[in-house]
Amino acid sequence: MENQLKNLQTAALKALEGIKDEKSLKDLEVQYLGRKGKLTEILRGLKNLPDEKKPMMGQLSNKTKATLEEALAQKLTALAKGKLEKELSGEFFDTTIPGTAREIGHIHPLCQVQEEVERIFYQMGFAIADGPEVESEYYNFEGLNISKDHPARDMQDTFFIANKEHKDSSHRAGGHGRMVLRTHTSPVQVRMLEKYGAPTRVIIPGRVFRNEATDASHEHTFNQVEGLLIDKDISMGHLKGVMAEFLTRLFGKPVKVRFRPGYFPFVEPGLELDFSCLLCEGTGKKEDCPCRVCKKTGWVEFMGAGMTHEKVLEAGGVDPKKYQGWAFGFGLTRLTMMRHGITDIRLLASGDLRFSRQF
Ligand code: PHE
């Protein structure tokens, strides 16, 4: 048996010399040290030896095993090193070349504008909040003084969630009704008042949904920013000041705003706010003004707003005798399109990197 071990070791080491790649190295390892390997076989024979020979032979076979293992490991290192050297010796290797940069994503143009909007309102002392996109009919309509027969509820405008009643039927206006995809961010007005009461000063950016045919200027999903300021002695003058300041900071040049009468059930009086065209500065006349934006009127329609209706304050548990204020809602999607001259709304949610990489 002693000879057997010696011969085996010599043969194995000799075979090892001829090995040139990792695969044959692995094969050799299996051949000698594997479960059915040559050395393993000899080791199995140990138990048949007379007892007095066992310790000596046991030691010898362990030593053989260790020698082989080490030789194999050394060979593996040598092979790896050789491979690297070969790679490096082939050509001049410039260690100062920068590595391959991994592509990282960037912020979608819509979110970029949203972040800017948030920053400006935050600087003016507004909190930033959000609310659920799947909303109850109560918050989306009744709580905002939009009665059951109001055309805004039309099946054509609102996505209803099939067979889905709001699970809490307790609301004073006879339950919460069905569930809808919110058609505007205004429902969060009532939620904010319920939760935090007055005074409050908050903007609510978020996604809204309308059941509309899609074209270059209409999408079923778009983004709005709601604003709500409730306090003592608040007037429309504050609204005008805040919006002129906001738009001036956003566009980085002086912007004027004007009010026109408008109707929304949740404000009284209600109004539409326009801002002066950035290209012709409100004149509608500048020679170089293409005025696709203002259509040569000098003004761009921007948002709906008004003094918060008493019914809305009451729905939010705020006493209209003590507090009043205003609310506004504008289209973040439209603002983004104006900002970047995007002409087709559908591009925004297309997921097409050729589009979003431009911003
Ligand atoms: N919710 C209105 C809309 O979607 C906008 C609005 C908000 C109007 C707040 C007045 C006050 O058109």
Side-chain angles (χ1 to χ4, degrees):
M1 186 166 197
E2 212 176 319
N3 278 341
Q4 251 185 320
L5 279 169
K6 268 198 190 127
N7 292 343
L8 180 128
Q9 181 168 325
T10 320
L13 292 178
K14 190 150 196 297
L16 195 58
E17 270 171 33
I19 296 285
K20 294 220 159 39
D21 60 88
E22 288 177 21
K23 164 108 183 35
S24 6
L25 183 68
K26 191 86 205 153
D27 291 345
L28 191 76
E29 184 177 358
V30 173
Q31 196 185 333
Y32 282 92
L33 301 174
R35 255 192 312 135
K36 292 185 182 146
K38 293 183 177 161
L39 181 64
T40 321
E41 223 151 82
I42 297 179
L43 291 178
R44 280 212 192 96
L46 269 178
K47 60 178 185 300
N48 302 328
L49 290 175
D51 278 352
E52 68 274 14
K53 281 210 163 184
K54 273 187 187 158
M56 215 267 276
M57 290 312 293
Q59 251 175 32
L60 190 63
S61 34
N62 279 340
K63 221 177 113 199
T64 310
K65 193 173 174 205
T67 311
L68 289 188
E69 277 172 353
E70 198 185 316
L72 283 162
Q74 267 173 14
K75 185 76 180 185
L76 187 66
T77 323
L79 283 177
K81 205 171 148 220
K83 205 164 133 197
L84 188 68
E85 270 164 7
K86 202 165 147 209
E87 271 170 20
L88 292 183
S89 68
E91 56 190 293
F92 169 66
F93 185 74
D94 183 354
T95 51
T96 64
I97 289 177
T100 325
R102 217 181 289 171
E103 197 184 344
I104 44 173
H106 72 287
I107 301 184
H108 191 277
L110 195 71
C111 298
Q112 288 177 27
V113 177
Q114 179 174 330
E115 282 176 9
E116 267 180 72
V117 170
E118 288 178 2
R119 182 174 48 82
I120 296 170
F121 276 103
Y122 186 75
Q123 287 168 343
M124 291 197 277
F126 284 75
I128 297 149
D130 59 13
E133 292 176 349
V134 180
E135 187 54 284
S136 70
E137 266 187 294
Y138 170 76
Y139 282 113
N140 200 74
F141 299 120
E142 271 100 352
L144 292 166
N145 193 35
I146 305 175
S147 59
K148 281 241 158 29
D149 52 8
H150 195 282
R153 293 201 184 200
D154 218 308
M155 298 294 275
Q156 274 140 32
D157 294 327
T158 308
F159 286 114
F160 288 86
I161 309 280
N163 308 322
K164 198 95 181 158
E165 287 277 321
H166 192 282
K167 44 186 180 320
D168 177 5
S169 60
S170 68
H171 218 285
R172 28 187 187 289
H176 278 272
R178 288 170 290 175
M179 298 302 285
V180 301
L181 293 185
R182 67 177 178 194
T183 56
H184 49 181
T185 42
S186 301
V188 195
Q189 287 186 30
V190 181
R191 288 181 174 276
M192 282 291 122
L193 293 174
E194 276 182 346
K195 196 160 179 192
Y196 300 110
T200 194
R201 200 190 301 181
V202 64
I203 61 159
I204 304 128
R207 282 203 300 181
V208 302
F209 311 87
R210 286 184 200 173
N211 191 357
E212 301 199 60
T214 301
D215 61 29
S217 47
H218 296 87
E219 256 287 31
H220 47 71
T221 304
F222 54 99
N223 290 57
Q224 287 188 330
V225 177
E226 193 78 11
L228 179 68
L229 189 150
I230 305 294
D231 208 328
K232 290 181 171 152
D233 301 322
I234 296 300
S235 76
M236 296 222 268
H238 298 113
L239 174 62
K240 204 164 187 176
V242 163
M243 291 316 292
E245 181 63 21
F246 161 65
L247 291 163
T248 297
R249 287 195 201 180
L250 184 75
F251 291 121
K253 55 174 162 181
V255 179
K256 286 177 283 184
V257 298
R258 74 174 186 188
F259 290 161
R260 279 180 295 116
Y263 174 72
F264 302 94
F266 36 97
V267 284
E268 178 60 41
L271 56 94
E272 305 263 357
L273 182 143
D274 306 336
F275 65 78
S276 51
C277 176
L278 297 167
L279 297 173
C280 67
E281 282 147 16
T283 62
K285 290 200 185 78
K286 264 208 169 157
E287 288 300 297
D288 56 351
C289 176
C291 276
R292 262 175 294 121
V293 187
C294 74
K295 298 185 197 94
K296 293 209 188 294
T297 61
W299 295 90
V300 182
E301 287 180 24
F302 184 55
M303 67 176 201
M307 298 303 288
T308 303
H309 200 286
E310 284 193 7
K311 289 247 175 74
V312 177
L313 292 172
E314 279 164 4
V318 170
D319 182 356
K321 299 254 157 19
K322 282 204 198 126
Y323 289 100
Q324 71 291 133
W326 39 254
F328 64 76
F330 66 80
L332 186 68
T333 306
R334 229 188 110 230
L335 183 64
T336 307
M337 291 172 71
M338 284 193 301
R339 194 73 200 279
H340 292 299
I342 298 165
T343 47
D344 192 326
I345 190 173
R346 292 166 294 192
L347 287 168
L348 284 161
S350 64
D352 190 337
L353 289 176
R354 287 171 306 177
F355 166 74
S356 51
R357 279 206 183 107
Q358 296 172 66
F359 306 99

